[in-house]
Structure formats: C-alpha cells, structure tokens
Amino acid sequence: DLVVTADDVVVEPGVAIATSGAISMTGRTIDVGRRAVIEGGGDVTLTAVASGDTVWDRFRLVGPEASIQLGHAARIESSGPAGVTLSSTATMENPTNSTAGLEDALDELLLLLPAAIDILQALTLLVSEVVGMLPADIATPVQDGLTEISDGLGSAEAEFKEAIQGEDGDEDNIFDLPDGVEAAAEFGRADARVDVDNGASIVSASDASLSATANSTVIVTTEAADGYLGISYAASEPTAQVRVFTGAVIQAAGTVTLSSDTNTVLTMRTEVNDGTSEETLGITTSFAQTDAAANTTVAVGSSITAADLEMSATNQRNVQHVAIAGGFGNSDDAGVGATLAVGQYVANALVKLAGHVDV
C-alpha cells in the first residue's frame, strides 16, 4: 500500500504512480497534475481536509479551503473493492471579528501607503519640472500648488496612521466606541471542492464517490448590561462544489456518487440594559446573514458510465437570533426599549446534469 500525508499533496504533471495495493493521499489540498496517473490494485482514496480560522487576506475574507483537483487528461484507476473515493471537507473553527478584521485590512493598507505616497510625490515633482518650462507668471502659482500637494501627502500618511493606531501612548483610535455602546460582528466562511478537469478520467472496478462538505459556525454575543445601545452582525458562508467539466470521463462497474453538502450554524444574542442599571433607554439592533451554496454539476461534453448514478446537493442550517432591549432601569419613570432584528438567510442547492450518462 502507498500512504501519502502532507499539508499540500502535489502529483506533478506526467508522473505515474502505480501499486498492486491501495493508495491513500491526505492533505489540505490535493493537486493531480496534467496527464498524471494514479493506479492502484486496491482502493484509491484522496482526502482533502482543511480546518482553521477566517482571516482577512489582501482585503478579502478567506476561510479554510479544502480542494481536490484532477488536472487535464489526468487519470485515476482502481481495482479495489471500494473503488475510487475523492472527499473534500472544510471546517471553519474561529470566525474573524469586525474590529480585528478591519485592523488587519488597514494594516495591509498601511504597508502600501508609503509606496503610494512616494509615487504621487514623484509625479508631482515631475509635473512641476514640466511646468517650470512655462513662463514664470504661469509656472510659479502652479508649482506652489504642486508643492502644497506634495507636503499634504506627506502629512496625510502620519494623520492616517494616527487615526488607525492612536497617538503614541494613547489607546484611542477609530475602533473605540462611546461609553454605553457595545458592538460585535463575526464573519465565517469555509470552501470545499472536488474538480475533475477537461479530459481527466476516473476508472473503477467497483464504485466511484466524489464529495465536498463545507461547515461554518458563527456565534456572536453582545451584552451591555450598563449600556443603552447594542449592535451585532454575523455572517456564515459555507460553499461546497463537486464539478465534472467538459471532456471528463467517469467509468465505474458499480455506483457513481456525486454529492455536495453545507452545514451552517449561526447563533446571535444581543442584550442591552438588563434592568439593573440606571439607564432608562435600551436599544438593540442586530443583523444575521447566511449564504450557503452546494453545487454538484456535470458539464456538457462529459461522460459517466456506471451501474447506478446518484447526485445530490444539500444545505443544512441552524439559526438562533435573539435581540433583547430593556428600557426600565432602577427609577420611578418608565424608560424606552426598542429592538430591531433582521435576518437574511440564503441557501442555494444546485444539481446540474448536462453530460452523457450510460447507466
């Protein structure tokens, strides 16, 4: 038997791997290159597993990604009793919160800011040199204006950093909230996919199974017992895809199973002024969003030959959304309480069979 385990498994283009026993490969990503061959006398099992946090990367949210890619004209063949199994699972463990996420994104911007300012200052100097060739009555006021722009860009960098990071020795920055206001936001996503590219083939003496599962859990709790305003936002976005592209071929003596599944959990609780404070005003506003997508597609020009074919795409969702506002503090006067809870829950499940099937 051959067992391969790594963070990222790569079978280089044109490489052939053949054993009389079973073949097992496990990693976060598995990439079988163009015209590569994996041939096992036993079962062939490729398992992509990714778990981790959702983070900001280059101004976009990135969660754990598990993927299996069977490249152009690559081939997997199995003579084992279970056949060929390609399974991809991504699980989001810790969402990113809004403050940390924005700080990370702005830190990236701060790294780019000096270079951008240097370029702009160089351009103003270049324009100033060109303008200097004009008559003095025209050139002088223009050059003065360009100098002001250049100086302004220099001070803008310092002011921008001060606004984000605060002054030296001062913890105040743009992320600080007024007294009595509590806010929280969490973002979570996970992506899992199995792709069989153009011209790739899977041949099994028994069954062939391709599956992708994405799990995303987000929990947000905002409590302001002594406050008057609570704001919460939560988003959970799992995506699972199994895609058989044009020109791909799957042949199995048994059953071919193609499935994509997402599991979404979103729990949000926002509570302001529990009645023990002196505040007579309590307002909560919360927004919860889920966007789950499960896609199982077989493209035009692909081919599946098997005793049976099973295709599915499913989304499972568990949402708890609670908002509580108390406006009756320890006083003789009744206060004011208001809540606003908004939810947008989207789930798309797609099964598309457009290729040739012989069962």
Side-chain angles (χ1 to χ4, degrees):
D1 294 348
L2 173 65
V3 177
V4 178
T5 302
D7 288 340
D8 300 292
V9 178
V10 178
V11 180
E12 295 289 348
V15 170
I17 299 174
T19 70
S20 59
I23 297 175
S24 173
M25 296 183 177
T26 303
R28 184 183 55 197
T29 64
I30 301 176
D31 185 2
V32 182
R34 294 167 57 92
R35 302 187 183 281
V37 176
I38 299 176
E39 184 175 344
D43 299 331
V44 175
T45 304
L46 274 57
T47 305
V49 179
S51 61
D53 305 340
T54 298
V55 297
W56 282 89
D57 182 27
R58 297 181 182 179
F59 309 106
R60 67 188 184 97
L61 283 172
V62 176
E65 299 180 0
S67 66
I68 298 176
Q69 182 92 18
L70 189 56
H72 170 71
R75 179 167 60 91
I76 295 179
E77 185 170 345
S78 167
S79 301
V84 176
T85 302
L86 309 183
S87 173
S88 177
T89 303
T91 302
M92 197 280 298
E93 294 181 337
N94 297 301
T96 185
N97 63 66
S98 59
T99 300
L102 285 173
E103 286 179 334
D104 289 343
L106 288 171
D107 283 344
E108 292 182 12
L109 183 59
L110 285 175
L111 294 175
L112 299 175
L113 188 61
I117 289 176
D118 287 345
I119 292 172
L120 290 173
Q121 288 178 326
L123 287 174
T124 57
L125 290 174
L126 178 61
V127 173
S128 179
E129 291 293 332
V130 174
V131 171
M133 300 178 185
L134 299 175
D137 59 335
I138 298 176
T140 300
V142 174
Q143 287 176 323
D144 290 343
L146 291 173
T147 300
E148 291 181 8
I149 293 174
S150 180
D151 294 341
L153 288 171
S155 62
E157 179 182 357
E159 293 174 359
F160 185 65
K161 287 183 177 180
E162 181 180 314
I164 295 173
Q165 301 171 334
E167 297 181 8
D168 294 338
D170 184 1
E171 296 182 355
D172 291 338
N173 56 57
I174 61 173
F175 299 106
D176 292 326
L177 296 173
D179 293 338
V181 178
E182 294 292 335
E186 302 283 351
F187 306 86
R189 65 179 303 157
D191 297 279
R193 63 181 175 87
V194 175
D195 287 339
V196 183
D197 283 352
N198 177 32
S201 62
I202 295 174
V203 180
S204 172
S206 53
D207 299 332
S209 173
L210 284 66
S211 65
T213 303
N215 308 300
S216 179
T217 299
V218 175
I219 299 174
V220 178
T221 301
T222 304
E223 294 182 345
D226 297 325
Y228 62 88
L229 176 61
I231 303 171
S232 298
Y233 177 85
S236 185
E237 303 176 356
T239 300
Q241 300 183 90
V242 172
R243 300 181 292 186
V244 179
F245 289 96
T246 298
V249 175
I250 300 177
Q251 296 177 344
T255 301
V256 171
T257 303
L258 310 176
S259 63
S260 58
D261 303 277
T262 69
N263 298 288
T264 307
V265 176
L266 190 150
T267 302
M268 175 184 287
R269 180 182 179 89
T270 308
E271 183 171 358
V272 173
N273 194 345
D274 60 6
T276 62
S277 72
E278 295 300 324
E279 295 286 350
T280 59
L281 172 66
I283 300 174
T284 63
T285 177
S286 60
F287 183 79
Q289 178 182 9
T290 65
D291 189 359
N295 299 319
T296 302
T297 59
V298 177
V300 173
S302 61
S303 173
I304 297 177
T305 302
D308 294 292
L309 173 62
E310 298 178 358
M311 297 178 65
S312 65
T314 62
N315 295 302
Q316 297 187 40
R317 181 174 63 208
N318 184 346
V319 176
Q320 299 180 32
H321 190 178
V322 178
I324 301 173
F328 301 90
N330 293 330
S331 67
D332 296 332
D333 299 324
V336 177
T339 64
L340 174 64
V342 179
Q344 178 180 333
Y345 310 122
V346 178
N348 293 304
L350 171 66
V351 173
K352 182 178 180 180
L353 177 57
H356 174 76
V357 175
D358 185 1
V359 294

